[in-house]
Amino acid sequence: MRWKRWRAVAAELQSLLGRHIGFRFSLSVLLFSLFVALLAASFSVWNGYRKAVSEIDRQFAEIERSFASSLALSVWNLDGVNLGAQLRGILNLPGISDAAVVDPLGRDILRIGAFDGKGLTVRRTPLRHDAWGQVHEVGELRVAASTEDIRRTLVSEAVSGLLGETLRIVLIAAFVLLAYQRLIGRHLRRISVALKTTEDDGLPREFFLERTVLFSRDELGEIEAAFRAMRDRINVSQQELRQSEQRANAIIDNLGDGLLQVRGDGRIERVNRAAERMFGCTADALQQQHVSALFLDAPGSVSQAAVAAGADPRLAGVEVKCRRAGGTLFPADLVMARMTVGRQESQVWLVRDLSERRASEEQRDFVAMVSHEFRTPLAIISTSIQLLMASLTDPGPKVVQRGDNIRHATQRLIHLLDDYLSIDRLDSAHQGLDLQPGDLLEVIESAINDWPLDRIRLRLHGAPAQLLCDPELMRIVLRNLLANADRHSPADATIELDVNGRADGGVSICIRDHGEGIPADELPRLFQRYFRGRFAQGKPGAGLGLYLVQKIVRAHGGTIEVQSAVGSGTTFTLNLPRAGTTTD
Amino acid sequence: MSNVILLEDETALREGVTEFLEAQGHCVRAVASVAEFAQAFMPASHEVAIVDLGLPDGDGLDVVRRMRRDGLRLGIIILTARAGTQARAEGLASGADYFLPKTIDLTQLSSAVTSLAGGSVR
């Protein structure tokens, strides 16, 4: 029972020592000091004993010197009284416990003491007497001294000294413990609490040791400073990390393509804003879904694509049908990539919504179809009116005017279709300019053919014979500009068309009318799509002409400028850099 | 003045153009399909062929190419609703002399026929 209790106490002590350096520290001091004290006490006992023994030896020698000859004389004379007095004198000496004189045969002559005490040291000295010229062996003196008393005294002295020393040591150890707690322990506890506490921003809590400034540069002070520096470094790198994460997130969120991060089991882990828009629901809603819910034919092409992505880290786009929230479908291009972060593997699915592209392709196809289908009936109308006019022998001026009106109306519809087709062609990534070295004059002439000869005055100054351009589009540019000039100037005014060669080998084409001009506030918006000026109200046009002109000119690497004043006319100047080589 | 064969599937246009060219003094044979054209075309006598491209039983471009492959030197005018630089380039590359997009400017057509019939035949 008692043994068990001791073991419990030992375990408690062990855990206390294990948990507190202060206790270990002070226990070490205690044990070491005790050991030293014990060593010192042992030495002092040993040394005292050695001194006592040599004192006894000296005593014995003194006794020999003082008493040997007189004792021998007393034995020779058989003087018992004197012998007894002498032995008692010896016994009175300090430390001597027994004394005896024996005859040469070993029999006692006189004995005081039993010679049987503990720790006795016996010295035997032969007694010799010199008589008649001869030395006679008359007996032997035996003296015993006891070291027991000395030992007892020494030990009791040592024990009492040791007890005092132990008390001192215990006090010192207690003080050591106290000093440790005060100087080191409480600060260490504060540091460890600070290190264990994490603040909202993820940093360990800052701490301040309560110490005077004088001591603030010791080891603990260094730890404090180092901790603060470390906290600052962590703070800085955390901010950097956060910034770089924000940057990465910004990139991901601003991607035009929808991004899905998909786990191995097909659960969606993360989505970007484009994906939210595309699938029409919030990130939270998306993240609860299985990826196959977003794709129409998930068991087919998508799972195959996923398998392929597993085999190949990057997978080229597959076209899939995606399901928007609410069930509508949209076509999309899907690219998958495998991604490993740490030990976690996931896939990144990039979804590009193709519906807009599809819609614009359909629109383009529709415009092309309409253009083609409109042309034949318009051609019939135009041809018929031409034949009708030709068959009249003497049509009046009004009839001629009406015939021209019908022809011009069909012509305008055709041109409108041409313009739409050209815009689509310029917008399309697949088609673009069809550059070829063309005869500049032919392009210009085909454009001015629509008007009577005296309406346009053409002047050429050092113009290159050939121009590297898309002839069809360049014809549209000139036709549109000339049509504008025609529409906005009096019927009897001449439109000037100047074509000049430029120093850099390009060509500058200038179309000037003397019509109503353009108000200054409209000039900045002149080339915008569907813009129509005040003077254009009530006149035909869709607001596409100048928009298309600028688009074509820019596609050719050229510029277009306009100068205009209300009442005095408008000048458009085209600068085209790319000219073909001049033939001959 | 000259012998013209016209391949155009649209009746109103076919009749209108025929009437116009005959009024100009040309002798016109008008057909509405590639098959009819193959029957009516006489390489020795026709000087000018006016060909529409989109036809019910074939593409006019093939007709033009076949005539050129056969080494015929008559004048060829393409008359089409196909617009754009590429269509024009294709048409001229097939061997046609003129590429006239619809709507038809009859004056332009007349001058083209006259120039082809009047000795500037290839």
Side-chain angles (χ1 to χ4, degrees):
Chain A
M1 207 58 197
R2 171 180 281 187
W3 176 237
K4 264 189 182 166
R5 212 168 61 212
W6 276 114
R7 268 174 61 170
V9 169
E12 184 63 30
L13 191 68
Q14 200 175 3
S15 97
L16 194 70
L17 291 176
R19 276 182 288 125
H20 297 285
I21 300 178
F23 281 109
R24 269 206 312 281
F25 187 42
S26 111
L27 189 70
S28 309
V29 169
L30 189 74
L31 290 178
F32 181 73
S33 305
L34 279 179
F35 173 70
V36 169
L38 209 60
L39 216 61
S42 310
F43 177 75
S44 123
V45 168
W46 173 77
N47 200 31
Y49 184 73
R50 201 177 49 91
K51 271 187 187 156
V53 168
S54 76
E55 181 62 26
I56 287 170
D57 275 349
R58 205 180 51 77
Q59 196 87 338
F60 283 152
E62 188 64 35
I63 288 169
E64 259 174 55
R65 197 160 42 83
S66 310
F67 291 93
S69 57
S70 60
L71 280 174
L73 182 64
S74 298
V75 173
W76 183 264
N77 291 333
L78 298 174
D79 182 354
V81 177
N82 205 6
L83 192 68
Q86 283 185 78
L87 279 188
R88 267 190 295 279
I90 290 173
L91 273 175
N92 278 342
L93 289 171
I96 304 298
S97 61
D98 307 273
V101 174
V102 296
D103 67 7
L105 294 177
R107 287 169 305 199
D108 285 345
I109 296 169
L110 183 62
R111 183 162 72 119
I112 301 173
F115 286 92
D116 56 355
K118 263 176 87 180
L120 287 186
T121 305
V122 180
R123 171 70 74 97
R124 297 162 187 237
T125 311
L127 297 176
R128 293 184 187 96
H129 185 72
D130 193 356
W132 309 304
Q134 195 181 348
V135 177
H136 301 275
E137 192 88 25
V138 293
E140 193 187 47
L141 172 67
R142 294 182 183 177
V143 181
S146 169
T147 54
E148 182 58 24
D149 293 346
I150 300 165
R151 199 181 295 146
R152 199 170 293 137
T153 316
L154 282 174
V155 166
S156 80
E157 268 175 15
V159 166
S160 67
L162 204 58
L163 277 177
E165 190 73 2
T166 304
L167 192 65
R168 207 163 54 115
I169 287 167
V170 167
L171 284 176
I172 288 176
F175 174 75
V176 163
L177 185 63
L178 210 66
Y180 168 82
Q181 292 296 5
R182 169 98 197 131
L183 288 177
I184 302 172
R186 64 189 178 118
H187 299 310
L188 286 183
R189 264 199 303 283
R190 189 183 282 258
I191 292 174
S192 81
V193 166
L195 287 176
K196 276 189 278 192
T197 315
T198 311
E199 291 189 335
D200 292 342
D201 52 6
L203 292 175
R205 181 191 289 166
E206 192 160 17
F207 64 87
F208 295 95
L209 301 181
E210 289 164 5
R211 283 134 46 94
T212 55
V213 179
L214 184 63
F215 304 134
S216 64
R217 278 183 307 197
D218 61 3
E219 292 88 335
L220 280 174
E222 279 177 21
I223 288 178
E224 192 182 5
F227 171 82
R228 211 153 289 149
M230 182 187 78
R231 195 174 178 277
D232 290 347
R233 278 200 306 276
I234 292 176
N235 198 6
V236 167
S237 50
Q238 258 187 356
Q239 275 172 6
E240 285 173 356
L241 199 67
R242 226 170 288 145
Q243 277 172 4
S244 98
E245 198 184 332
Q246 279 169 358
R247 271 197 296 274
N249 281 341
I251 291 172
I252 288 171
D253 273 338
N254 288 310
L255 273 181
D257 293 349
L259 182 142
L260 309 171
Q261 194 183 329
V262 182
R263 284 197 320 224
D265 62 358
R267 293 269 151 214
I268 296 172
E269 223 168 34
R270 179 185 176 172
V271 301
N272 70 346
R273 286 205 202 113
E276 289 180 279
R277 277 199 304 275
M278 237 174 245
F279 291 102
C281 49
T282 61
D284 291 338
L286 279 174
Q287 278 155 11
Q288 287 166 2
Q289 299 196 30
H290 193 270
V291 72
S292 61
L294 300 178
F295 297 90
L296 180 64
D297 39 5
S301 62
V302 173
S303 61
Q304 276 170 15
V307 170
D312 177 7
R314 272 187 311 279
L315 178 80
V318 255
E319 211 181 306
V320 291
K321 280 259 181 287
C322 300
R323 188 174 291 139
R324 222 186 292 276
T328 51
L329 299 173
F330 64 94
D333 200 32
L334 176 64
V335 180
M336 296 157 135
R338 209 162 39 163
M339 187 175 79
T340 311
V341 177
R343 265 186 298 172
Q344 206 181 10
E345 260 202 26
S346 56
Q347 291 177 4
V348 175
W349 292 27
L350 276 176
V351 184
R352 176 166 296 171
D353 191 344
L354 295 179
S355 33
E356 263 183 45
R357 194 194 294 172
R358 280 294 133 75
S360 82
E361 278 169 11
E362 277 170 18
Q363 187 188 349
R364 192 169 302 139
D365 290 348
F366 177 74
V367 170
M369 186 271 290
V370 164
S371 158
H372 185 261
E373 293 305 312
F374 274 32
R375 245 167 233 275
T376 308
L378 287 171
I380 293 169
I381 297 171
S382 165
T383 313
S384 303
I385 192 64
Q386 288 176 71
L387 288 168
L388 207 59
M389 296 305 289
S391 68
L392 295 177
T393 43
D394 185 18
K398 275 194 172 177
V399 174
V400 171
Q401 180 61 47
R402 283 176 193 139
D404 283 349
N405 285 350
I406 294 175
R407 262 202 78 196
H408 286 148
T410 56
Q411 207 63 35
R412 234 175 43 226
L413 278 174
I414 290 290
H415 287 163
L416 191 63
L417 291 172
D418 283 348
D419 284 1
Y420 264 115
L421 275 183
S422 307
I423 290 171
D424 273 344
R425 205 173 102 204
L426 287 174
D427 284 341
S428 154
H430 307 295
Q431 294 172 303
L433 291 182
D434 182 15
L435 285 179
Q436 41 185 277
D439 190 324
L440 178 61
L441 207 60
E442 194 182 297
V443 172
I444 291 169
E445 277 175 350
S446 75
I448 62 178
N449 265 346
D450 288 346
W451 287 274
L453 277 180
D454 56 351
R455 181 62 162 160
I456 298 166
R457 190 174 68 208
L458 173 66
R459 281 180 301 205
L460 301 169
H461 288 290
Q466 282 197 321
L467 184 67
L468 188 66
C469 68
D470 186 318
E472 190 77 23
L473 294 179
M474 200 46 71
R475 210 169 284 129
I476 288 175
V477 168
L478 294 175
R479 200 191 66 215
N480 272 319
L481 291 174
L482 289 170
N484 273 350
D486 177 50
R487 213 172 292 149
H488 296 287
S489 53
D492 55 346
T494 310
I495 297 165
E496 291 163 37
L497 175 57
D498 292 302
V499 181
N500 299 311
R502 294 194 325 173
D504 62 0
V507 65
S508 147
I509 300 172
C510 205
I511 293 159
R512 180 177 296 117
D513 69 56
H514 300 284
E516 55 210 1
I518 301 165
D521 62 316
E522 288 181 356
L523 286 176
R525 290 186 294 152
L526 203 58
F527 295 104
Q528 286 174 9
R529 196 171 196 166
Y530 304 127
F531 174 75
R532 304 210 64 212
R534 289 199 280 283
F535 293 147
Q537 308 300 325
K539 290 179 181 168
L544 280 178
L546 287 176
Y547 166 74
L548 180 60
V549 163
Q550 190 185 45
K551 217 171 160 72
I552 295 172
V553 169
R554 283 190 176 166
H556 278 83
T559 57
I560 180 163
E561 290 157 22
V562 58
Q563 287 171 322
S564 186
V566 173
S568 62
T570 305
T571 305
F572 283 98
T573 309
L574 303 178
N575 287 299
L576 296 168
R578 276 176 274 182
T581 47
T582 34
T583 49
D584 67 7
Chain B
M1 290 195 355
S2 56
N3 241 334
V4 179
I5 183 165
L6 169 66
L7 171 55
E8 167 66 63
D9 60 326
E10 198 66 44
T11 314
L13 277 182
R14 190 170 64 242
E15 286 173 355
V17 170
T18 308
E19 190 189 323
F20 172 73
L21 288 178
E22 279 174 350
Q24 299 275 311
H26 301 290
C27 176
V28 183
R29 173 82 169 92
V31 291
S33 67
V34 178
E36 277 183 48
F37 182 88
Q39 286 187 343
F41 179 54
M42 289 179 291
S45 63
H46 284 135
E47 296 159 90
V48 178
I50 302 172
V51 181
D52 184 17
L53 293 188
L55 294 161
D57 59 346
D59 191 335
L61 274 182
D62 293 332
V63 177
V64 177
R65 287 199 195 98
R66 200 182 317 145
M67 287 191 284
R68 289 301 182 215
R69 205 173 45 232
D70 292 348
L72 301 180
R73 292 163 61 84
L74 80 168
I76 300 176
I77 298 169
I78 287 177
L79 201 62
T80 182
R82 287 180 201 168
T85 311
Q86 206 182 344
R88 169 183 292 270
E90 259 179 24
L92 294 178
S94 71
D97 299 292
Y98 285 93
F99 183 95
L100 302 181
K102 291 174 181 174
T103 64
I104 308 162
D105 184 337
L106 290 178
T107 327
Q108 211 178 352
L109 180 64
S110 161
S111 60
V113 171
T114 312
S115 76
L116 287 175
S120 63
V121 184
R122 296 192 193 196

